[in-house]
Amino acid sequence: MTDRASTGAARARRYEDILVVTIDHPPVNALSAAVRADLAAAVRDAQADPQVRAIVLAGAGRNFIAGADIREFGKPPQPPALPDVCNQIEASAKPVVAVLHGAALGGGLEVALAAHYRIALPGARLGLPEVTLGLLPGAGGTQRAPRLMGAPAALDLMLSGKHLSADEALKAGLVDALAGESDALDAGLAYARQLLAMRAGPRRTRDAGAALADRPAALAAVDAAADRVAKTARGLFSPARIVEAVRAAIELPFDEGLRAERALFLQCLDSPQRAGLVHAFFAERETSKIPGLEQARPRRVERVGIVGGGTMGAGIAVSVLDAGLPVVMVEQDDAALERGRARVAQVYDLLAGKGRISADERAARLARFTGATGYDALADADLIVEAVYEDMDAKLAVFAQLDRVAKPGAVLATNTSYLDVDRIAAATRGPADVLGLHFFSPANVMKLLEVVVGSHTAPDTAATGFEFARRLRKIPVRAGVCDGFIGNRILATYRQAADMMMEDGASPYDIDAAVRAFGYPMGPYQMMDLAGGDIGWATRKRRAPTRDPALRYVQIADRLCERGWFGQKTGRGYYLYPDGARQGQPDPEVLAIVDAERARAGVSPRAFTQEEIQRRYLAAMINEAANVLREGVALRPSDIDVVAVSGYGFPRHRGGPLHYADSVGLPGILADLREYAKEDPAFWSPSPLLVELADAGRDFASLNRAA
Ligand code: 3HC
Ligand code: NAI
């Protein structure tokens, strides 16, 4: 056993006649330039070393390799290029075994596909998730994966970005064997020794043909995928290129296929979508880094209480039960509690019905659920989430009760959408223990969680909110106290912009279509029909006495609500939903109401192009986002991007509203705002932060770097 020279990112060590190359580049062994160089050098040297008869590639730490180093994208490329390293591995005259554990993703799996043999440890996750970053597997993955697993499975893997377990990868033909050993090194050595004993030599994926032998069937799968992508990719750039790369794998000799893949990869790499998706990837990982909270220790949370078992309380309960924690739900009376319990059970029935969880899992999760109608049942809870009606008096009464029963040190959270968390905290004797945990509906599905930190919230209370989010597999974003926090406050502003356009001449259907064309899954009026118009109506009525009469107020929504048209649940809203249909149809009666409101408001309607609708909608969004940032309600621009993308349907490939603003250029956004302000200075007044950045020639990204 001798050590060989290495620069550290990948180190080579010989165990008798087997050379083990260990990629050791924390945190996730991404294939940075140093790793590529070390890997290439180790494989090259091994060819010339007569004492080496086989090579094992393994990862140090928790993963094999998580892929290309995403931080290098967009920077000048540094040799050696990953495809060349992969080709070099494949060309090795000595057998190469890759031992996969933890993540073997993207470029990491491509390295493994270029190896001659692959074994996986239990818990390994294999995938080609480049599509989620606006890319395609660009180191031979589109050419090698189909040769091993066939075109349909390879297309599915690359277009979905999903991860396969070790078992699934074995069945799919991506790995040769599962390793019993829990140690990658032992497993790799044992497998390599077996190969040597059997005198097995290199076995190159480029020469594997069986999985693509039925060429017409493989091409038919490619055509079918192309059709599917055309219908479902919603403007995404890379999926169609993935399909074309796989077509090349079938139609062209291997080296030409690699060249085709390279050209398509570079197109993706240069696309703004790649920049937006990579921004979203890092932004999501940035949100829990909170200056000032580095030293705060989260409190222990083993038992969770939930007050209110309505839409949100039940969804939150499911999310907590899914994370393996017990839940006590408190409702006002037996009937309401029964409804809450039924809502929770219904989610699990649905999941079990679809085969997403087993009957045993369903039973285990429900066994962790208990209900009560008295607050004393919450005495043991470490964290209690209040999710009763959106009404200050109701919340104050609940928090006074919680103050009475909660044990010392328990964290008390409100799920309020808009209300003042500081006022709610003041109902207790320990406002330091109180914060907002604003979930999104459906709470067991939506990833976003706004962690609302009040003026008196203690650092360890806030840290508990972040840690709780991590356990629930949510993306926590810190928000300060204000009406609507980050997301709902910005939403209220761009909805107002939409309502003003509607009154000025655009139909709700034009607006929805323009917003969808930008990349949203649905427009604001479809969204309102889905959520139910009654919720917003109640809020508007509550706020009516304090509304600023100087601000324009569009009444169209009120006219619909007065007729009981609350959206899907009542069969009509902005759209018609005959016989419970989920896809709405435009409603001429709504257009007549809109016309009547225009007349009442003295507006002569004008035409709006799709582009103008988008520009106004986004200008309103970006401007309010800048105000939210300026006031410190959000910590950094990228946090706002995360909120918009993971909570409000903003197209991920555009990164988020502030990344989008940077990509368009702040002077252009400011010019739009100034133009619109000529009609309505109060609403369109440019945020001082936007003005300051634009004047200084800076962008929002510069604030991310400073945060
Ligand atoms: N490059 C650079 N940094 C990466 C990275 C990558 N590929 N993957 C993760 N990181 C960083 C994260 O930004 C984070 O950094 P931070 O601590 O400074 O915030 C750190 O590694 C840990 O990441 P996570 O918080 O995500 O850790 P988890 O343990 O939750 O998840 C993971 C690990 C499953 C590997 C997850 O990080 C992941 O999915 N990574 C990306 C995988 C991927 O998309 N690979 C494909 C890359 S594109 C490619 O390979 C192109 C090729 O075809 C040419
Ligand atoms: P909901 O009306 O569906 O449920 C409220 C539940 O609270 C009812 O089951 C009611 O019986 C119960 N309740 C009322 N007073 C109670 C008390 N004193 N003790 C125990 N239970 C009591 O309301 P929903 O939609 O679940 O909203 C709850 C909270 O979550 C509100 O603050 C709302 O603003 C917020 N929210 C709602 C979202 C949504 O999309 N519905 C999204 C995010 C937050």
Side-chain angles (χ1 to χ4, degrees), residues 2 4 12-22 42-58 89 92-99 115-117 185 187-203:
T2 53
R4 296 177 66 90
R13 187 168 186 169
R14 192 160 58 74
Y15 294 78
E16 299 169 350
D17 49 1
I18 299 168
L19 186 78
V20 177
V21 182
T22 306
V43 173
R44 185 192 58 226
D45 293 353
Q47 305 304 311
D49 185 341
Q51 291 181 302
V52 173
R53 292 175 60 218
I55 302 167
V56 169
L57 304 180
I89 292 169
S92 168
K94 302 175 184 186
V96 184
V97 181
V99 193
H116 305 144
Y117 302 90
L185 176 65
L189 285 173
Y191 198 81
R193 285 200 183 103
Q194 265 181 41
L195 289 174
L196 290 176
M198 288 163 27
R199 301 185 170 279
R203 187 198 55 175

Side-chain angles (χ1 to χ4, degrees), residues 306-314 316 330-333 336-337 339-340 343 372-373 375 386-391 394-395 397-398 401 414-419 437-442 488 531 535:
I306 295 177
V307 186
T311 310
M312 292 308 289
I316 296 166
V330 169
E331 257 289 355
Q332 347 195 39
D333 52 44
L337 179 60
R339 284 195 297 275
R343 283 189 188 100
T373 51
Y375 280 78
E386 165 278 310
V388 306
Y389 307 125
E390 184 74 344
D391 176 85
K395 306 236 184 230
V398 169
Q401 289 288 346
T414 171
N415 183 46
T416 179
S417 307
Y418 291 94
L419 300 175
L437 287 179
H438 182 218
F439 289 80
F440 288 72
S441 181
N488 280 345
I535 299 174

Side-chain angles (χ1 to χ4, degrees), residues 452-587:
V452 186
V453 178
S455 340
H456 300 290
T457 306
D460 63 336
T461 303
T464 309
F466 279 91
E467 174 60 18
F468 185 55
R470 195 190 59 76
R471 285 174 83 176
L472 302 194
R473 296 172 171 271
K474 305 275 180 217
I475 306 170
V477 175
R478 184 206 175 279
V481 174
C482 73
D483 193 358
F485 317 119
I486 300 176
N488 280 345
R489 172 167 158 186
I490 298 173
L491 170 74
T493 308
Y494 60 85
R495 271 203 184 153
Q496 166 74 359
D499 280 352
M500 294 192 312
M501 286 191 273
M502 178 161 58
E503 197 171 65
D504 287 340
S507 81
Y509 316 120
D510 296 336
I511 295 170
D512 280 349
V515 168
R516 281 196 309 270
F518 182 75
Y520 274 84
M522 61 177 85
Y525 298 106
Q526 289 172 293
M527 190 64 221
M528 264 182 266
D529 274 4
L530 183 66
D534 47 334
I535 299 174
W537 193 32
T539 310
R540 291 195 297 280
K541 282 192 283 196
R542 197 171 55 241
R543 291 190 184 150
T546 54
R547 189 176 297 132
D548 180 353
L551 293 180
R552 181 167 169 193
Y553 180 71
V554 177
Q555 299 183 24
I556 297 167
D558 295 344
R559 295 296 93 79
L560 301 193
C561 290
E562 284 152 14
R563 289 166 168 79
W565 299 355
F566 295 143
Q568 287 193 19
K569 62 181 166 190
T570 55
R572 68 193 299 179
Y574 287 93
Y575 294 79
L576 281 169
Y577 303 90
D579 308 320
R582 303 198 54 192
Q583 193 68 34
Q585 297 165 6
D587 182 350

